[in-house]
Amino acid sequence: MSADDNLMIANVSRRRFLMGLAGGSALVLAARWDVALAGNEKAQFGAGAMPGGWVDDPNVFIHIDADGLVTIVNNRSEMGQGIRTSLVMVGADELGADWDQVRVEQAEGDHDKYGNQNTDGSRSMRHWYQPMRRAAAAARQMLEQAAANEWGVPVSEVQAGVHTIVHRPSGKELGFGELAAKARELDVPGRNALVLKRDDELRFVGKETGLINGELKSAYPKAIDGEDIVTGKAVYGADVPFEGLLYAVIARPPVYGATVGDFDDTEALKVPGVEKVLKVEGTGQPAGFSPLGGIAVVASNTWAAMEGRKALKIDWNLEPAGDNASYTSATYRESLEKAAQQPGKVVRQHGDLDTALENADKRVSATYYMPHMAQAPMEPPVATVRIKDGKAEVWAPVQNPQATRDTVAGRLGLDAENVTVHVTLLGGGFGRKSKPDFAIEAASIAEAFKGRPVRLQWSREDDIHHAYYHAVSVDYLEAGLDNNGQATGWLHRTLSPSIGSLFAPDPKHKGEFELGMGFNTMPFSVPALRLENPPAPAHVRIGWFRSVYNLPHAWAIQSFAHEMAVAAGKDHRDYVLDLLGPDREIHNLTVGDGWNYGEDPDLYPIDIGRMRNVIERVTREADWGKSTGKNRGLGLAFHHSFVSYTAIVFDVEVDDQGELTIHRADIAFDCGPQANPERIRSQLEGAIVMGIGIALQSEVTFEDGVAQQGNFDKYLIPRMPDAPKTLRVHLVDNPDEAMGGVGEPGLPPVAPALCNAIYAATGKRIRRLPVGDQLKA
């Protein structure tokens, strides 16, 4: 590091800093690092491979006022997963800050300044844990050096306490705020000179908080947004206040790819409060992140805009939609099931599968179906845009602020530097808000009202009728068993439309990253194996949904492994442990997976020992093998995804009328090091409940290209009676492993574990989701 890469103390007031302005009188601790240092890490993997990469510049993330108030900038979107607490907590702990004197500032969309901000793929903590610690460690060491200089003592005698710097021999102390100016002329320590705290010196990181299996642990540090959320003070996308705000809604084509023909806005303009009706241009197919197009109604309030939309008369042109206009779920499912009986594109194979199946003592086969689903976050998409003096400002609950900035700039014909994206709290995301089409719509409308802010609001019906849907899937599996029930051959064909259809002509086959989500990375040790991917065309917008293609892959593989165990007459747990084979590390490239969630396969192999460990842990905690009695049973499933390991056991009962009761759910989870165990537990608990909804209720169907569900009366999500009566989370701490993802890997095993438990209780095999009324048949 050069001498120019020095820590600087800027004269910036807190108020003006929060406004993004310079000047004032308060002292703020800041620093600069040469971005070229990013080359010290492997850029082709992990955070370095993401657009914008990573930044560990204290000047960007750590600010200390003269009164000692510490502001830590959070560059990831908060959508309920707690990252505004967890990431700030990591920085505060490494710095030595008093949590009561820590504030969080949400970064605007700018990945050149803040590094990658796209909050998806369960990457936030695993990509930003180390950069945040380094930024905070640099700031701490500069404070320590400043104190040593002040006292005229060796820096080795100085140590950060809690919001103070202490001279150990004398006990003298100076506060963070008192030292900010003293650090102004000091050089930043090189990255190689940084000394991170030992685990036993950390006060927050890795510590359990909250009610853990009935025992109250420390409740410190408390969630940054917790009180505001429960008291209604939190600011979500629809909460940002403006004077002179206009409200807009859009009538969008009912079929993907359709366009506006003739329309009559006469009656809409008669609705009191309606100010304008205008056309919003779409881009056709493939849609990417662009709007679908339609007719916008702009009014002085949301109700007037919605009433005006009802009064519109629109003739939709279905011709550009092509086959989408005849897309019907039942027919499409039949076509996929038929295609699944034919060979497809081979993506992985070894051994002589045909001979293994032909010579098998017993053959088992099954076809599994998972429907379209909508993300349906509790806050539907919403965005406010104001365009003035050649610049645009966006306020929106987006997962990808940089994509929002770039696409809005492209739609408006502005340089990205003239677009500012303010990220609000997200009322849920699940992948929907990584697509900024709704912000582009708002910007398109705001162009007609220069200087006035326009808020575009999606209704729940808009959200479900025009979602980026989770891909419908059909999976066909066949296995050969020898006379001891051991698997000798494994065939798996998977069919789903690809997310790639959003961005280019429909590939009809899954991409490498989609196949890498538990399909070609299937860990079982079978002598002969063939994995195939027949074509499946897309007829709606396919988009990221929590856990993405891990959902259908885990659903099919884990359900089928249970069917194999039943056919072999073996205990399910014992059977799959044997099916996994010996403990070993599987390098992803050896199974044809060049993606590996963007991570280095040398650091993140598929570790069968870790997989075995979570299975054994969860079955032990769930008392696997216990007598359950009539109409009651246990079900197991497990999965490796987002470079973490999950296993789940359900204990369920189904009465004679087909009513399901989930008595208990146990989940064991290994993500390597645990930064914030409380939030990990919360994410896993949420995954269990969401997964129950996926298994039992959630489905979007289509008739002639039109979604048949529009609100929670028909698009069903789990209610309180559906939740487990007891839910226990068992965290497996592996501090020496590389850090894995948390937000998504808890979800894939839920549906198969639940349906395996249903089979154990009833003998009824579920192969089609959602379960719905199948238990009553």
Side-chain angles (χ1 to χ4, degrees), residues 217-285:
K217 304 286 186 178
S218 169
Y220 188 86
K222 62 183 179 180
I224 283 175
D225 300 298
E227 184 175 345
D228 284 350
I229 290 172
V230 299
T231 58
K233 297 177 183 177
V235 177
Y236 295 92
D239 297 325
V240 183
F242 293 93
E243 291 186 5
L245 180 64
L246 293 170
Y247 299 83
V249 297
I250 297 176
R252 298 173 184 84
V255 176
Y256 177 44
T259 59
V260 175
D262 294 330
F263 73 96
D264 183 350
D265 60 7
T266 304
E267 296 303 314
L269 290 170
K270 293 179 181 179
V271 174
V274 171
E275 297 195 14
K276 194 177 185 68
V277 174
L278 61 139
K279 187 176 181 180
V280 176
E281 295 294 339
T283 57
Q285 304 175 67

Side-chain angles (χ1 to χ4, degrees), residues 585-601:
E585 292 184 349
I586 302 173
H587 196 286
N588 293 72
L589 290 177
T590 66
V591 293
D593 173 35
W595 178 57
N596 197 36
Y597 300 92
E599 304 297 347
D600 186 344

Side-chain angles (χ1 to χ4, degrees), residues 213-553:
N213 294 337
E215 181 182 354
L216 183 63
K217 304 286 186 178
S218 169
Y220 188 86
K222 62 183 179 180
I224 283 175
D225 300 298
E227 184 175 345
D228 284 350
I229 290 172
V230 299
T231 58
K233 297 177 183 177
V235 177
Y236 295 92
D239 297 325
V240 183
F242 293 93
E243 291 186 5
L245 180 64
L246 293 170
Y247 299 83
V249 297
I250 297 176
R252 298 173 184 84
V255 176
Y256 177 44
T259 59
V260 175
D262 294 330
F263 73 96
D264 183 350
D265 60 7
T266 304
E267 296 303 314
L269 290 170
K270 293 179 181 179
V271 174
V274 171
E275 297 195 14
K276 194 177 185 68
V277 174
L278 61 139
K279 187 176 181 180
V280 176
E281 295 294 339
T283 57
Q285 304 175 67
F289 295 152
S290 298
L292 293 169
I295 304 299
V297 178
V298 186
S300 58
N301 60 80
T302 308
W303 180 255
M306 289 182 171
E307 289 299 298
R309 179 169 64 175
K310 291 178 184 177
L312 289 171
K313 296 179 181 178
I314 306 174
D315 291 328
W316 298 106
N317 179 12
L318 299 181
E319 184 175 351
D323 292 343
N324 299 348
S326 60
Y327 179 53
T328 298
S329 298
T331 304
Y332 187 71
R333 176 188 170 191
E334 291 174 359
S335 70
L336 290 187
E337 290 176 343
K338 183 177 180 180
Q341 297 302 312
Q342 302 300 319
K345 178 181 178 181
V346 176
V347 298
R348 178 185 168 192
Q349 65 177 335
H350 65 254
D352 187 344
L353 178 65
D354 294 334
T355 300
L357 293 178
E358 183 179 345
N359 295 337
D361 184 72
K362 182 180 292 186
R363 293 172 70 162
V364 183
S365 64
T367 300
Y368 301 92
Y369 175 78
M370 181 174 281
H372 285 299
M373 290 172 285
Q375 296 87 355
M378 289 306 296
E379 180 190 38
V382 58
T384 303
V385 177
R386 179 172 58 200
I387 301 172
K388 187 176 181 180
D389 300 329
K391 296 185 178 181
E393 284 191 274
V394 181
W395 292 262
V398 290
Q399 291 178 237
N400 193 340
Q402 185 66 43
T404 304
R405 188 187 193 197
D406 291 342
T407 53
V408 167
R411 174 56 72 104
L412 298 177
L414 299 174
D415 291 335
E417 291 73 18
N418 291 323
V419 177
T420 301
V421 176
H422 307 279
V423 183
T424 67
L425 293 177
L426 281 65
F430 307 120
R432 174 59 184 94
K433 295 172 185 175
S434 61
K435 300 93 168 173
D437 56 310
F438 54 97
I440 303 170
E441 289 177 330
S444 299
I445 299 168
E447 272 197 297
F449 300 91
K450 299 289 186 177
R452 292 188 70 182
V454 176
R455 175 168 296 154
L456 173 72
Q457 180 66 63
W458 285 49
S459 67
R460 177 60 63 201
E461 288 78 8
D462 295 335
D463 176 39
I464 296 177
H465 284 153
H466 306 291
Y468 284 82
Y469 299 98
H470 172 64
V472 60
S473 66
V474 164
D475 286 74
Y476 172 78
L477 294 96
E478 184 174 357
L481 309 181
D482 64 19
N483 57 7
N484 291 317
Q486 299 290 321
T488 59
W490 175 286
L491 170 66
H492 185 176
R493 295 181 182 132
T494 185
L495 299 85
S496 300
S498 172
I499 289 171
S501 62
L502 274 182
F503 306 107
D506 187 0
K508 297 183 175 62
H509 291 277
K510 295 180 184 179
E512 182 180 43
F513 79 99
E514 293 160 333
L515 294 168
M517 294 183 180
F519 181 65
N520 55 7
T521 56
M522 189 277 293
F524 294 144
S525 178
V526 183
L529 172 146
R530 187 163 67 238
L531 307 181
E532 301 176 0
N533 178 216
H539 295 292
V540 298
R541 292 195 298 184
I542 303 297
W544 296 278
F545 180 101
R546 187 180 186 183
S547 299
V548 209
Y549 290 81
N550 285 290
L551 290 176
H553 296 154

Side-chain angles (χ1 to χ4, degrees), residues 205-216:
V205 171
K207 304 302 188 293
E208 291 273 27
T209 64
L211 190 65
I212 310 301
N213 294 337
E215 181 182 354
L216 183 63

Side-chain angles (χ1 to χ4, degrees), residues 15-130:
R15 176 176 176 80
R16 292 178 69 81
F17 163 71
L18 293 178
M19 295 171 63
L21 302 174
S25 59
L27 297 172
V28 178
L29 184 64
R32 293 182 293 113
W33 265 337
D34 191 338
V35 296
L37 287 171
N40 289 349
E41 296 194 7
K42 291 184 177 180
Q44 68 269 36
F45 297 120
M50 300 295 291
W54 51 265
V55 174
D56 55 5
D57 182 349
N59 188 49
V60 172
F61 293 109
I62 311 292
H63 306 267
I64 302 177
D65 287 353
D67 62 2
L69 187 67
V70 174
T71 298
I72 298 179
V73 176
N74 173 56
N75 68 341
R76 311 297 278 185
S77 296
E78 175 59 63
M79 50 186 164
Q81 82 280 37
I83 196 63
R84 270 167 59 93
T85 296
S86 296
L87 197 57
V88 169
M89 181 193 76
V90 168
D93 206 358
E94 186 64 55
L95 182 64
D98 179 349
W99 189 249
D100 290 335
Q101 296 188 63
V102 174
R103 300 293 181 269
V104 61
E105 170 73 5
Q106 188 66 37
E108 297 172 348
D110 185 350
H111 70 199
D112 290 333
K113 180 177 182 179
Y114 298 108
N116 184 266
Q117 297 174 262
N118 186 16
T119 309
D120 75 343
S122 299
R123 298 183 180 100
S124 290
M125 189 55 72
R126 79 175 192 260
H127 281 185
W128 284 97
Y129 178 76
Q130 289 295 342

